[in-house]
Amino acid sequence: SPLGPTPKLVIDLERLQQLPKDKAGPLARYAATIQSQRGDYNGKVLSIRQEDLRSLAVIYDKSPTELTEELIGWGVLDPEARRAVEAF
Ligand code: C2E
Ligand code: C2E
């Protein structure tokens, strides 16, 4: 496409740690599980599967688009992530 390939969904793990637990808790647990499955504990960022954003949207009781906007607002996802979700 003219805009290039679909961008990755990249979670900012340092930002995630700064957020209140009531907001970030489910995402933080999900990210920790993926890190554990990959054996990848040292990153400042974590690329997640598009499929995982769908699962997270169910957990947060939002549409993938709404959850993406919320995570961008929290500073956990880059605004580029919008294009990844448009591709759903
Ligand atoms: P799996 O899905 O059977 O993937 C096995 C291995 O294939 C992964 O081992 C990884 O080396 C490679 N792989 C699979 N998909 C991708 C991909 O999109 N990009 C890259 N770069 N490599 C990929 P790994 O990383 O040790 O993960 C082990 C298992 O942990 C995976 O088995 C899967 O069950 C789970 N897992 C890891 N990361 C994720 C994730 O982001 N989301 C989900 N839902 N599961 C994950
Ligand atoms: P990536 O490694 O650059 O992979 C980009 C896309 O290629 C993935 O998007 C997926 O659609 C496809 N792909 C790559 N490797 C595999 C594979 O082994 N099996 C299958 N079925 N598809 C594959 P997706 O799923 O949205 O993942 C986005 C990014 O999340 C990946 O970018 C990678 O950085 C990370 N990731 C996802 N799953 C795993 C995993 O199991 N292990 C690791 N280490 N990283 C993963």
Side-chain angles (χ1 to χ4, degrees):
S1 81
L3 290 169
T6 302
K8 285 200 212 179
L9 294 166
V10 182
I11 302 289
D12 183 333
L13 296 173
E14 292 187 331
R15 180 68 190 139
L16 185 58
Q17 283 192 331
Q18 296 165 359
L19 295 170
K21 274 214 175 74
D22 63 315
K23 286 182 167 188
L27 175 58
R29 286 192 294 276
Y30 202 100
T33 301
I34 291 175
Q35 283 183 290
S36 151
Q37 287 178 314
R38 294 183 189 168
D40 172 14
Y41 300 102
N42 296 318
K44 294 183 176 174
V45 297
L46 183 73
S47 295
I48 62 162
R49 297 182 187 178
Q50 292 214 2
E51 189 187 291
D52 289 326
L53 190 73
R54 287 185 197 274
S55 303
L56 283 163
V58 173
I59 292 168
Y60 277 93
D61 195 21
K62 292 179 186 297
S63 71
T65 303
E66 288 167 340
L67 180 62
T68 300
E69 289 305 322
E70 183 148 276
L71 298 183
I72 292 169
W74 293 350
V76 162
L77 275 182
D78 187 276
E80 266 286 281
R82 285 190 187 113
R83 287 210 295 119
V85 177
E86 278 166 20
F88 273 12

